[in-house]
Amino acid sequence: MPKYIPVFLLLLLTMMWCSGQVPLNERLYLDSLSRKTQTAATDSIKARANLELSQFWAYKDSLKSEKYLAQGKKLAGHSPYLKIIAQYYEAYFIVRTQQNKSEKMYRNVEMQLRAYPAKEANLFRAKAWYEYGIIQFKKDNYDVLTDIVFNKCIPLAQKAESNAFLGTSYLILANIFKNAGQFGKAESYCLKAIGYLKKEKASSGELISAYHTLAENYTQSGQNPKARVILDDIRGLLAPYPESEYLLDYYAAEGLYFTVGDQFKKALTNIEKGIVLSEKLKIPYKEQRLLLQKFYASYYIKDFEQARSVLEYLMTKPPMMKLSVNRLQLYHGMAITYKGLGKMTLAYDWLERYSKLSDSVAQGKLKTEVNALELKYKDTEKQKEINELKANNIQSALAAKNNRLINWLLGSISLILLIVAMFSFLYYRNNRKLLAQKELSYRQHLNELEQQQQLQYSQAMLEGEEQERRRLARDLHDGLGGMLAGAKINLSGQLENPRSDNQRENLQKIIGQLDNSVTELRRIAHNMMPENLLNFGLKTALKDLCETLITSSTKIEFLALEIDGPIPEQTQINIYRIVQEMLANAIRHANASKILLQCSRNGNMFFITQEDNGKGFELNSDHTENGIGLNNIRNRVGFLKGKIEIESTINEGTVINIELHVD
């Protein structure tokens, strides 16, 4: 096999880094993230889902990627930590168009995340270093990438306990050593990567990439039988996914297998399948990799015109021409192709370009070595200067010994005076600080006492109000209710011997009015102190409250999620009163015809959400701010150390969100 064939796998390394980690079941992955952006319980989860979608589309559809990035940044705005994570995804999005800015953003993200000890923060630090290293690779700084993976990515991935990213890091090292021709080391790192990626259990696209790399490593190192086994395994894994992006890597790896095995026609057939699929999936950088393989296969079957056409097309693609190693193989390919065509002048021109570029690359390496020698030389020279200074210092010390003895006493006295002055100053300054701290502590204590008194006053007022409600409800039910019931019984007795039919009708009307009065009395008593709350719990009481308020013109939908746990009775009463006031406001003041009430609990937090289609109101108007009902709600929310958010639009309705502490 000609010696220059393995060089083209450098393109594979570049393209793999650009592609990101794509799951095998792409549709399931996208559907899962899309659902999270719509239905997730918190803005944090929604933000993460949007940011992951932005990364997924970054190299496929920049408009979609930008849209998801903007939404993710917006949702992450209230969390300083998530804002840093969003910068990582933004750097990933802009790297193709603003590489220098992206490079700075990755370094900034890594430095900011050092303040967060969490495992996820360490994982994103590793990822930021990784992407920074990729940019250095694109600038032909290959040694920088290797150093970053060894000394930054792997240690941080170990801290994060991320098997997936450890696999990714070792896979990059495998590719680096494979493309350097160190196939033994490449195999070792590739097997390490596969071992870590298999621990992730879920079907991983990155694992497929590791198998591809191992197969190509076996092919390049002359172990085609081993490569065939790996390729067959890959084909089995990809069988359920006939349009998977990873099939492109498979076609490329198998094309290399056929090319190295001198089966050039099979290689071309295989490569054409990959090109057709890459065009269908709209993944141009993988198409370019396949086209480069097509060039080699075409060259070996002596189809020089097709080989030249492929190379000319590839040289119009900026990603291909950006790396010097890619330009080297294209220039060399053009030289040997024109030689095959018998156009020796053009072949010589391209060979000269190849030589100049090759010399410049070598010159760069030479400069690096010279710089290293120069630094070593400077270090030696500095050490000599240090030794000379030490010798001069010894001589000066001997000459100045007598003077130091004379000046020692004066210096000691001056030093003692200076120390005394310093201690006096520090004592004075510390005293002032201590007094200021005491005054601040005293003010804070007064504020705390004032808040405590206000809280006790509110608590006493609410408890007194509830006790008065209970007393009035009991008096109405037992006193006035009993009297009305007695009057009904007496009147019912008169019905047995009425003086006339007219009298019977009048008595029946009066009894009917008494029945209505008793019913109204019971309703008032129930509103003042619902017995269902005390007897059957909060969920039943709220459900009954909603049902009593439902009419032909008002529909109320009530949802309760895990609110059956133990809650102190006084807290339950306050929650009931809050909901009662919210429903009353929606019906009486907003004239709502549809109301959705949702109550849920998570640990010691109780959440209330009410949405209505009423006429809405202006949030900052004097009438609203001074409303008795809204003030009652705010007082009870404050008593339970909660918070309330209200969104209302005129003629469109109102949404109220309340969070309460119920421990």
Side-chain angles (χ1 to χ4, degrees):
M1 192 67 202
K3 62 182 180 180
Y4 49 76
I5 285 298
V7 176
F8 71 79
L9 288 199
L10 284 170
L11 179 65
L12 161 65
L13 185 60
T14 308
M15 294 306 125
M16 182 189 67
W17 288 331
C18 292
S19 65
Q21 297 183 19
V22 181
L24 284 179
N25 196 334
E26 182 179 303
R27 176 47 52 195
L28 181 64
Y29 174 72
L30 289 176
D31 289 345
S32 174
L33 288 179
S34 296
R35 280 196 300 273
K36 286 182 182 179
T37 62
Q38 300 297 322
T39 62
T42 64
D43 284 351
S44 172
I45 298 174
K46 290 180 180 179
R48 291 172 185 273
N50 276 284
L51 293 172
E52 287 183 36
L53 283 169
S54 173
Q55 185 175 37
F56 177 86
W57 290 110
Y59 286 88
K60 296 179 175 66
D61 189 327
S62 59
L63 291 178
K64 277 188 180 180
S65 179
E66 187 174 18
K67 182 190 77 172
Y68 285 120
L69 176 64
Q71 185 64 15
K73 288 172 65 178
K74 181 180 178 182
L75 291 167
H78 298 297
S79 168
Y81 173 75
L82 277 182
K83 286 173 73 175
I84 300 172
I85 300 301
Q87 291 177 38
Y88 166 84
Y89 287 97
E90 184 177 1
Y92 190 90
F93 172 72
I94 67 171
V95 68
R96 286 181 299 166
T97 56
Q98 302 178 63
Q99 190 180 80
N100 291 336
K101 182 178 178 181
S102 176
E103 181 180 17
K104 291 178 182 177
M105 287 184 73
Y106 281 130
R107 293 293 292 115
N108 188 41
V109 166
E110 193 278 327
M111 286 188 285
Q112 290 183 79
L113 286 175
R114 292 176 189 176
Y116 297 89
K119 291 179 182 179
E120 187 193 46
N122 283 319
L123 176 58
F124 272 96
R125 286 178 63 194
K127 288 182 176 182
W129 272 116
Y130 178 90
E131 298 297 342
Y132 176 80
I134 299 304
I135 294 173
Q136 300 312 306
F137 173 84
K138 292 174 182 177
K139 294 180 176 181
D140 293 337
N141 299 325
Y142 315 119
D143 55 334
V144 175
L145 172 62
T146 307
D147 179 65
I148 284 173
V149 175
F150 271 123
N151 298 311
K152 302 294 183 183
C153 295
I154 291 176
L156 286 169
Q158 288 170 339
K159 281 186 179 181
E161 298 179 7
S162 172
N163 289 323
F165 201 73
L166 278 170
T168 298
S169 300
Y170 283 115
L171 181 56
I172 287 300
L173 291 174
N175 274 284
I176 290 172
F177 284 106
K178 172 170 68 70
N179 290 302
Q182 299 181 23
F183 302 116
K185 286 186 178 181
E187 180 182 2
S188 172
Y189 284 120
C190 205
L191 291 173
K192 263 190 175 183
I194 290 170
Y196 279 111
L197 292 168
K198 278 186 173 179
K199 293 179 183 179
E200 289 301 296
K201 296 182 181 179
S203 179
S204 166
E206 193 77 354
L207 181 60
I208 297 294
S209 293
Y211 281 129
H212 283 138
T213 302
L214 184 60
E216 289 165 353
N217 191 66
Y218 283 144
T219 299
Q220 288 181 270
S221 59
Q223 303 180 70
N224 254 16
K226 285 187 176 181
R228 184 70 263 171
V229 173
I230 299 295
L231 287 171
D232 290 342
D233 289 342
I234 295 170
R235 185 66 186 179
L237 290 171
L238 291 173
Y241 311 103
E243 293 189 355
S244 170
E245 180 177 327
Y246 289 97
L247 271 171
L248 302 177
D249 295 331
Y250 172 80
Y251 288 132
E254 193 171 46
L256 173 65
Y257 168 83
F258 286 132
T259 302
V260 172
D262 294 333
Q263 302 178 63
F264 304 119
K265 289 186 178 179
K266 282 188 177 181
L268 279 172
T269 301
N270 206 67
I271 290 165
E272 284 298 335
K273 290 180 184 178
I275 291 171
V276 170
L277 181 58
S278 65
E279 289 174 347
K280 184 176 182 180
L281 297 179
K282 297 180 180 178
I283 306 178
Y285 52 83
K286 293 203 172 183
E287 179 190 12
Q288 292 166 28
R289 176 193 175 195
L290 290 161
L291 284 169
L292 188 59
Q293 286 187 301
K294 182 177 179 180
F295 156 73
Y296 284 110
S298 300
Y299 176 81
Y300 286 118
I301 62 173
K302 300 187 184 302
D303 188 349
F304 299 121
E305 282 297 338
Q306 180 168 272
R308 181 184 59 79
S309 175
V310 170
L311 289 177
E312 287 177 346
Y313 174 77
L314 287 175
M315 282 192 288
T316 65
K317 302 301 176 184
M320 174 66 71
M321 299 299 290
K322 193 167 187 178
L323 286 176
S324 59
V325 289
N326 289 343
R327 295 197 301 275
L328 274 173
Q329 58 189 318
L330 293 178
Y331 293 168
H332 187 270
M334 289 295 282
I336 62 176
T337 299
Y338 276 118
K339 181 182 177 183
L341 289 168
K343 299 180 179 181
M344 302 309 295
T345 302
L346 290 172
Y348 176 79
D349 289 342
W350 282 106
L351 187 61
E352 188 176 14
R353 291 193 196 184
Y354 170 81
S355 298
K356 287 181 180 178
L357 182 58
S358 180
D359 289 344
S360 68
V361 173
Q363 182 79 15
K365 291 180 180 178
L366 180 62
K367 284 182 180 178
T368 302
E369 293 173 359
V370 170
N371 287 335
L373 291 172
E374 184 183 12
L375 287 173
K376 187 179 286 188
Y377 171 77
K378 286 181 178 178
D379 286 342
T380 304
E381 290 299 305
K382 285 180 180 177
Q383 190 60 47
K384 286 181 181 178
E385 290 177 6
I386 290 170
N387 291 336
E388 289 176 2
L389 286 172
K390 283 182 179 179
N392 291 334
N393 285 339
I394 291 171
Q395 292 177 357
S396 298
L398 291 172
K401 186 175 182 180
N402 290 332
N403 290 333
R404 284 201 298 270
L405 289 173
I406 296 171
N407 295 326
W408 185 82
L409 285 175
L410 292 174
S412 299
I413 294 171
S414 300
L415 181 62
I416 290 170
L417 291 174
L418 179 61
I419 291 171
V420 170
M422 287 179 63
F423 272 111
S424 299
F425 173 75
L426 291 173
Y427 177 79
Y428 171 75
R429 189 177 66 177
N430 287 339
N431 264 355
R432 288 191 63 183
K433 283 185 177 179
L434 187 60
L435 288 173
Q437 288 174 353
K438 283 183 177 179
E439 184 179 357
L440 180 61
S441 176
Y442 176 73
R443 289 180 180 175
Q444 289 176 344
H445 184 60
L446 284 178
N447 288 335
E448 289 173 359
L449 287 175
E450 186 175 285
Q451 290 174 358
Q452 225 171 12
Q453 287 176 352
Q454 184 65 32
L455 186 61
Q456 289 173 352
Y457 171 77
S458 299
Q459 183 177 359
M461 198 168 74
L462 290 173
E463 287 177 354
E465 180 182 332
E466 290 301 329
Q467 289 174 2
E468 185 63 16
R469 283 175 177 266
R470 290 189 184 188
R471 186 188 67 77
L472 286 173
R474 188 170 55 250
D475 289 347
L476 286 172
H477 186 273
D478 297 339
L480 183 56
M483 292 171 65
L484 290 173
K488 177 185 174 183
I489 291 170
N490 290 334
L491 289 172
S492 297
Q494 295 294 323
L495 278 175
E496 295 177 2
N497 298 305
R499 295 180 183 177
S500 65
D501 290 339
N502 188 36
Q503 186 182 33
R504 176 185 291 274
E505 289 178 4
N506 290 334
L507 288 172
Q508 286 176 340
K509 286 182 180 178
I510 294 170
I511 291 171
Q513 290 173 348
L514 284 172
D515 283 338
N516 292 337
S517 299
V518 170
T519 301
E520 182 65 13
L521 178 64
R522 287 176 179 169
R523 186 188 65 78
I524 294 170
H526 177 78
N527 283 340
M528 297 187 75
M529 181 47 61
E531 293 298 322
N532 284 344
L533 178 63
L534 305 177
N535 296 331
F536 303 107
L538 181 60
K539 182 176 179 180
T540 301
L542 292 176
K543 183 179 178 184
D544 288 347
L545 174 63
C546 292
E547 289 176 354
T548 59
L549 295 174
I550 292 174
T551 65
S552 60
S553 60
T554 303
K555 294 182 180 179
I556 301 175
E557 183 180 353
F558 173 63
L559 300 174
L561 304 174
E562 300 180 357
I563 66 171
D564 292 322
I567 300 175
E569 181 180 308
Q570 186 59 41
T571 302
Q572 291 187 46
I573 292 172
N574 278 322
I575 293 172
Y576 182 90
R577 296 301 179 202
I578 289 169
V579 173
Q580 189 179 40
E581 194 69 46
M582 289 166 62
L583 289 172
N585 286 345
I587 295 170
R588 286 201 304 264
H589 301 302
N591 297 327
S593 61
K594 290 183 181 179
I595 301 173
L596 172 62
L597 174 66
Q598 180 176 311
C599 296
S600 61
R601 182 180 179 183
N602 184 6
N604 64 345
M605 296 301 297
F606 193 98
F607 303 93
I608 304 171
T609 299
Q610 178 179 295
E611 300 179 19
D612 67 65
N613 65 345
K615 63 184 181 181
F617 59 91
E618 294 181 2
L619 291 175
N620 298 321
S621 68
D622 292 339
H623 177 73
T624 302
E625 292 295 324
N626 298 324
I628 295 174
L630 192 55
N631 282 334
N632 285 340
I633 293 173
R634 284 178 171 151
N635 286 337
R636 292 183 186 276
V637 170
F639 173 69
L640 293 177
K641 300 177 183 177
K643 60 181 182 180
I644 179 171
E645 294 179 358
I646 303 174
E647 296 179 9
S648 185
T649 305
I650 299 298
N651 297 325
E652 291 186 13
T654 301
V655 178
I656 302 176
N657 292 302
I658 295 176
E659 295 179 13
L660 305 171
H661 290 267
V662 295
D663 52 344

